Amino acid sequence: MATSAAALVAGVVVVQVADSSTPAYAATPEPLQVQYSGDAPMARDALLRLAAALEAAPAPAQSVGRFSFVRVGQWSLDMSFSKGSTDVAMVPQVISTWRAADGSGKVATVNLDRSDLEQRPDAEGLLAAAAGSVPDVNTYGPGELAAVVADPVPTDANALEQALYAHQPRVNGAKSAVRAVADLYRTTEVDQNVRVAVLRFLARTDGVLLRGAVTDRLSRHGLAVSVDSDNGGTRDILVFDQRTGLLLAYESMFLRRPERLPVRVPAVHAYVLYLDQDRRADTT
């Protein structure tokens, strides 16, 4: 199974903010427009319905190959503090990962900065810059490229729960469940049986709320669920394709402004768009 995207929305802005009672604010993306932005219901029933529909659907043809391949586009706030000021950079990347079951593989990262996009800080500009850039490539021998969950990824929800909480500790609450799922999709081709297990795992996780219908930053329609944590200070959102059950996007936002960080809340400080996933015979 493979997903692809034709556009990626991101930008680069660098703001230097001296300590002040009236700081200049860094530009951040607008939050996603969700169906339930206020009092959201629990996500359990919606997730179980999606899992059941996916389980009843014909299994898609499985791609074959030694390497699990995943490509993501991601944007994150990068900040540094120096001499009473805060430097904030909004940094986009495109990351491609090939990983074999023995932990060998390759990661190719296109890092984009302000000069790459200052003329065209839009979707086409980012993709054009990424396509025309030489990626930073790292290769890994057996055992050197760790997976979030070792192959084969469990298709039983109980076993998958144990594996995901070994990566993101259960003690940190429901946000660990959401973040572990986001991390799983970053490094592993997730087949239909695992997608069902992921949905069932989230359905029984206390604190996962339904945000409903949403259009992600690639104009893909999906079902959003979220977890609020840190006493209401942060929100993590997952967006799933309602046809395939694949994860389309992950976002993290501040609902309360952290000290010394010049952003207006709610502020999206990171997002990941899942662009492609399949299996490949080699790392080219």
Side-chain angles (χ1 to χ4, degrees):
M1 184 72 185
T3 61
S4 63
L8 178 60
V9 179
V12 175
V13 177
V14 178
V15 179
Q16 185 176 73
V17 183
D19 285 347
S20 168
S21 59
T22 58
Y25 289 101
T28 59
E30 289 294 321
L32 294 173
Q33 298 300 304
V34 296
Q35 184 177 0
Y36 304 110
S37 58
D39 294 331
M42 299 300 294
R44 179 179 184 277
D45 290 346
L47 289 168
L48 289 177
R49 283 195 297 271
L50 180 54
L54 192 61
E55 202 168 32
Q62 294 296 310
S63 56
V64 295
R66 181 186 173 202
F67 294 94
S68 174
F69 174 77
V70 178
R71 177 178 290 122
V72 302
Q74 71 176 31
W75 174 97
S76 58
L77 223 91
D78 183 50
M79 59 191 138
S80 60
F81 305 101
S82 176
K83 297 181 180 179
S85 67
T86 303
D87 291 332
V88 181
M90 302 179 185
V91 181
Q93 297 174 305
V94 178
I95 303 172
S96 301
T97 302
W98 295 257
R99 187 182 56 79
D102 66 358
S104 62
K106 183 175 84 171
V107 177
T109 303
V110 176
N111 295 296
L112 299 170
D113 59 32
R114 186 181 186 183
S115 62
D116 293 316
L117 296 178
E118 60 185 4
Q119 299 301 319
R120 296 176 61 197
D122 55 15
E124 287 90 1
L126 174 61
L127 289 181
S133 299
V134 177
D136 295 328
V137 176
N138 291 295
T139 57
Y140 301 86
E144 294 180 349
L145 185 56
V148 170
V149 176
D151 291 324
V153 180
T155 57
D156 172 77
N158 292 321
L160 182 63
E161 177 178 321
Q162 292 183 358
L164 291 176
Y165 280 136
H167 170 68
Q168 290 274 2
R170 185 196 300 264
V171 69
N172 292 330
K175 68 181 180 183
S176 285
V178 168
R179 293 175 183 180
V181 168
D183 290 345
L184 172 68
Y185 269 86
R186 288 175 61 89
T187 60
T188 304
E189 185 249 357
V190 181
D191 67 25
Q192 182 165 297
N193 291 329
V194 176
R195 289 175 231 157
V196 171
V198 164
L199 294 168
R200 295 192 183 282
F201 160 62
L202 290 172
R204 66 191 193 189
T205 302
D206 291 338
V208 180
L209 301 179
L210 178 65
R211 296 295 168 182
V214 67
T215 301
D216 78 358
R217 299 181 192 278
L218 294 174
S219 298
R220 301 174 296 185
H221 301 296
L223 179 76
V225 300
S226 74
V227 169
D228 290 357
S229 55
D230 302 323
N231 295 316
T234 62
R235 176 172 297 164
D236 293 89
I237 298 176
L238 299 174
V239 178
F240 290 97
D241 187 310
Q242 295 192 75
R243 180 179 56 86
T244 65
L246 282 166
L247 184 62
L248 299 176
Y250 163 73
E251 303 214 353
S252 185
M253 66 170 54
F254 295 122
L255 302 179
R256 186 172 56 245
R257 188 166 75 89
E259 185 179 359
R260 297 186 66 189
L261 185 59
V263 295
R264 293 187 188 276
V265 293
V268 177
H269 65 85
Y271 67 72
V272 180
L273 297 167
Y274 299 86
L275 306 179
D276 299 281
Q277 71 145 36
D278 55 31
R279 299 201 67 87
R280 301 194 174 182
D282 54 41
T283 60
T284 57

